[in-house]
Amino acid sequence: MLALISSSTKTVGFWSAVLATVSSITYILGQLAEWMGFLGSQGGPESASTPLGIVVLLTPSLLLGSSFLVLVVSIHQLAAPERKIWSHAAVAFATVYTALISIVYFVQLTLVMPRLARGQIEGIEVFLFVPFDSFLYAVDILGYSFMSLATLFAAMVFTGRGLERLVRLFLITNGLLLPFIALQMYYHPLIWIAALWAVTFPGATWSLAILFRRATTNTFGSENL
């Protein structure tokens, strides 16, 4: 059984879930456009992004990191006392995810993209985001591996039927993508299985938005810490 939450937790949980959903779908649409060559790259998952592609893909991705972390904190507040060990672990993994991917995307948007647009990449080669073959790509997939762990632990909070069961299913499925995300640098075709994230993640966040919308608030507005 989920804990009663304050109205502020309900509001923050709902809107962070909405923002995470919108950000992820915006990224997914941008990624499809990039793989189809509409953003100036050669197309496909192994082509490096153009300056336009970096902006289109990584701006929503940067917003996704923070919104997902706030959403997981909201899940921690929603968790029943005996389930908070799972939600606390989810917060820890979500924090690592957000820190890692935020560094990657901020560096790309502020350091790499302007110089790439000017054709001045000398001295920043190590920071270029080359799929399957660069330092920052490795950091990025490590970050998303931690996201998978966060969703796997967060799934343990939801034990009920109906909407809770749907949330749990999406979170677990997203968590089970971990090996396909983490190991794709060794075997590139794993990215096609990892791409199921485009279904499991927005499915989880949107169902969580509905769950927070329907959540029961306590009378006095105190948090269950």
Side-chain angles (χ1 to χ4, degrees), residues 5-19 70-71 74 208-209 211-215 217 223:
I5 56 174
S6 70
S7 58
S8 60
T9 298
K10 179 175 181 174
T11 300
V12 171
F14 171 74
W15 285 111
S16 60
V18 169
L19 181 56
V70 174
L71 174 57
S74 301
L208 279 165
L211 187 144
F212 273 102
R213 190 74 169 181
R214 297 177 181 176
T217 56
E223 298 287 357

Side-chain angles (χ1 to χ4, degrees), residues 23-80:
S23 297
S24 63
I25 292 175
T26 303
Y27 161 76
I28 291 163
L29 294 175
Q31 186 68 82
L32 289 173
E34 169 126 302
W35 284 357
M36 295 174 71
F38 294 155
L39 300 181
S41 72
Q42 296 179 357
E46 302 206 26
S47 297
S49 295
T50 62
L52 174 61
I54 289 174
V55 173
V56 171
L57 294 175
L58 302 190
T59 301
S61 298
L62 188 60
L63 295 174
L64 174 59
S66 297
S67 60
F68 177 69
L69 177 55
V70 174
L71 174 57
V72 175
V73 171
S74 301
I75 291 173
H76 180 58
Q77 296 296 328
L78 186 66

Side-chain angles (χ1 to χ4, degrees), residues 148 172-182 193-198 200:
S148 293
I172 290 175
T173 306
N174 192 81
L176 293 177
L177 294 177
L178 171 60
F180 306 104
I181 293 172
I193 301 176
L196 290 172
W197 180 93
T200 59

